[in-house]
Amino acid sequence: MSPALAKSAENLKNETEDYHKGVKYLHESGIQRVPKKYIFPISERPKNAINGKQQARKEHNLKLPIIDFAQIHGPNRAQVLDSLSYACENYGFFQLVNHGIPDEVIRSMVDVGGRFFDLPLVEREKYMTTDMTTPVRCGTSFNQTKDGVFCWRDFLKLVCDPLPDVLPHWPSSPSDFREKAVAYSKETKFLFLKLVEAILESLGITTKNKTQNNEMLKEFEDGSQLMAVNFYPPCPDPDLTLGMPPHSDYGFLTLLLQDEVEGLQVKCNGDWVTVQPIPGAFVVNVGDHLEIFSNGKYKSVLHRVLVNSLKSRISVASLHSLPFNSIVRPSPKLISETNPKRYKDTNFAAFLEYIKSCDSINKSFLETRKLT
Ligand code: OGA
Ligand code: NI
């Protein structure tokens, strides 16, 4: 091999290894252009990248329905449930304000998440694995063993149940990480249960029979919870890549906390529209399991993440669903002669098999569950 060839082979090898260290590492190494590995096909690129072009972006901002959760136990409960239903049917997304989680718990989670990503790579590397079944996992892109094109995201995923089993595996550095993440996971789980109660009622599934309702809620109490802390460092070419490719979330509901930096986009009437961050609010979205459970009434909608050249962005997604081994199926109460069952029964195992096997750009688990 000529010295020049050997040199470029060496560069390529180093680069390939570097991809697995994540995009924060790449950013800090001072790269001026995104490597080829991150360049999306033209049709998949964001048309209006966030790099200061306010003008181009304006009309693509979306005002998601805002649900004021403080009203849920007051005299306006019926209206709140109607708005909830409207949002889940027409957007698959809403912003939740006055949700009752103390500001301090929220701020601490974003703060400690940020400090985790500030740790030296050697510290974060301890958690890097492609094994999807571990209680804690650091990684990059979407599905780094399968993705042909990488996205501009690093993540830390934490399995949250059963807490006594998983907690000893969670990062012990920063020293307050576990304390802050536990407080946050407990609060979001509690809020999720309150939301499920409201959602079941909005679907007309709850009955006058308290015991039956409690049984249903009990299953969610024992349900699964996964938290993902997403870190998107500044990107030199934000119009060539994405922080996350278009995807829907697999669970029942996702509670997403985004910092003040824009990035999340939702597919709405065929257009990608940016979700304006509201400080302290949650962006809540319907996942695949709720679409199936509601027999298609509530929509699990595609969303993606744009990156920008100036600021890092952090988000914390808390994904909730039924217990890992439960079967997810359309609620019998929502099936009738005029409204037949529209989805096959499914479970987590089927989902995991599916994502392991496919490139994230072409991912649509839900499509594989539809009965035609
Ligand atoms: C997710 C997700 C959006 C964001 O974690 O599934 O869609 O803004 N995150 O980070
Ligand atoms: Ni998502």
Side-chain angles (χ1 to χ4, degrees):
M1 207 187 282
S2 77
L5 256 183
K7 179 96 184 109
S8 69
E10 179 64 23
N11 281 346
L12 191 64
K13 181 169 156 282
N14 288 344
E15 270 195 3
T16 314
E17 279 169 8
D18 284 356
Y19 297 150
H20 298 276
K21 294 177 179 167
V23 284
K24 178 154 192 291
Y25 175 85
L26 281 183
H27 166 65
E28 284 168 352
S29 72
I31 54 158
Q32 300 295 312
R33 314 247 49 155
V34 291
K36 256 211 187 80
K37 183 81 181 161
Y38 297 84
I39 300 182
F40 275 65
I42 290 173
S43 62
E44 319 261 347
R45 290 179 203 165
K47 275 198 228 84
N48 295 291
I50 303 176
N51 48 9
K53 290 186 203 135
Q54 287 290 344
Q55 229 37 43
R57 215 171 66 215
K58 259 286 178 277
E59 63 270 24
H60 287 277
N61 287 344
L62 172 68
K63 285 257 181 297
L64 286 179
I66 295 177
I67 307 284
D68 181 348
F69 213 56
Q71 304 249 9
I72 198 92
H73 293 116
N76 294 333
R77 183 169 175 90
Q79 282 104 301
V80 179
L81 292 181
D82 280 349
S83 326
L84 197 59
S85 186
Y86 183 84
C88 294
E89 274 189 66
N90 296 288
Y91 295 85
F93 272 81
F94 55 90
Q95 302 246 31
L96 190 68
V97 298
N98 292 327
H99 43 65
I101 299 189
D103 267 358
E104 179 55 25
V105 172
I106 288 180
R107 270 199 305 268
S108 298
M109 183 65 224
V110 175
D111 172 67
V112 84
R115 282 187 282 122
F116 176 81
F117 283 99
D118 280 342
L119 294 173
L121 184 63
V122 285
E123 190 61 36
R124 286 179 292 126
E125 254 173 352
K126 291 181 193 164
Y127 307 104
M128 287 185 184
T129 166
T130 49
D131 176 0
M132 304 230 214
T133 60
T134 55
V136 52
R137 182 160 73 93
C138 256
T140 192
S141 191
F142 202 74
N143 179 357
Q144 77 191 72
T145 54
K146 291 279 172 204
D147 293 342
V149 181
F150 268 27
C151 17
W152 198 259
R153 166 184 82 140
D154 290 342
F155 63 80
L156 168 66
K157 287 192 180 171
L158 302 165
V159 174
C160 304
D161 60 283
L163 199 58
D165 296 352
V166 292
L167 191 56
H169 299 276
W170 284 14
S172 50
S173 178
S175 60
D176 57 341
F177 183 89
R178 288 184 189 172
E179 178 202 331
K180 302 289 163 54
V182 164
Y184 182 81
S185 72
K186 286 185 175 165
E187 291 281 357
T188 47
K189 174 75 179 224
F190 184 77
L191 179 58
F192 164 72
L193 292 172
K194 292 271 157 239
L195 276 169
V196 164
E197 216 178 327
I199 279 182
L200 293 178
E201 193 175 333
S202 77
L203 283 168
I205 283 175
T206 38
T207 59
K208 296 252 149 42
N209 182 336
K210 271 229 147 56
T211 325
Q212 257 179 25
N213 293 343
N214 287 344
E215 259 169 41
M216 236 181 323
L217 288 175
K218 179 80 178 65
E219 203 178 354
F220 283 102
E221 260 168 52
D222 298 337
S224 58
Q225 181 180 10
L226 175 81
M227 290 202 310
V229 186
N230 300 307
F231 184 79
Y232 308 94
C235 172
D237 295 305
D239 40 359
L240 300 181
T241 191
L242 289 170
M244 263 205 213
H247 68 282
S248 62
D249 294 349
Y250 64 82
F252 210 79
L253 284 179
T254 302
L255 276 59
L256 179 86
L257 190 64
Q258 48 174 347
D259 65 11
E260 76 289 354
V261 184
E262 291 177 0
L264 176 63
Q265 288 196 319
V266 174
K267 192 80 175 254
C268 191
N269 299 326
D271 284 332
W272 287 110
V273 284
T274 301
V275 177
Q276 290 292 292
I278 300 179
F282 282 97
V283 176
V284 180
N285 65 293
V286 173
D288 296 353
H289 291 171
L290 177 51
E291 177 168 328
I292 293 172
F293 180 80
S294 71
N295 202 26
K297 185 164 195 254
Y298 290 176
K299 303 290 188 304
S300 175
V301 169
L302 285 178
H303 50 286
R304 69 179 187 183
V305 177
L306 305 189
V307 287
N308 74 86
S309 58
L310 302 173
K311 287 186 182 166
S312 307
R313 176 170 179 270
I314 278 201
S315 70
V316 184
S318 191
L319 288 82
H320 301 261
S321 193
L322 290 169
F324 192 80
N325 292 315
S326 289
I327 292 175
V328 181
R329 57 164 70 92
S331 165
K333 294 218 175 105
L334 298 176
I335 299 172
S336 66
E337 222 160 280
T338 49
N339 188 27
K341 181 174 168 176
R342 294 170 61 186
Y343 302 83
K344 294 179 233 176
D345 294 0
T346 191
N347 60 14
F348 263 116
F351 172 74
L352 283 180
E353 269 317 299
Y354 181 80
I355 47 165
K356 262 197 275 179
S357 69
C358 74
D359 186 310
S360 61
I361 289 191
N362 303 312
K363 170 183 127 36
S364 180
F365 178 64
L366 202 52
E367 288 306 314
T368 70
R369 301 288 92 190
K370 283 187 180 158
L371 293 165
T372 42

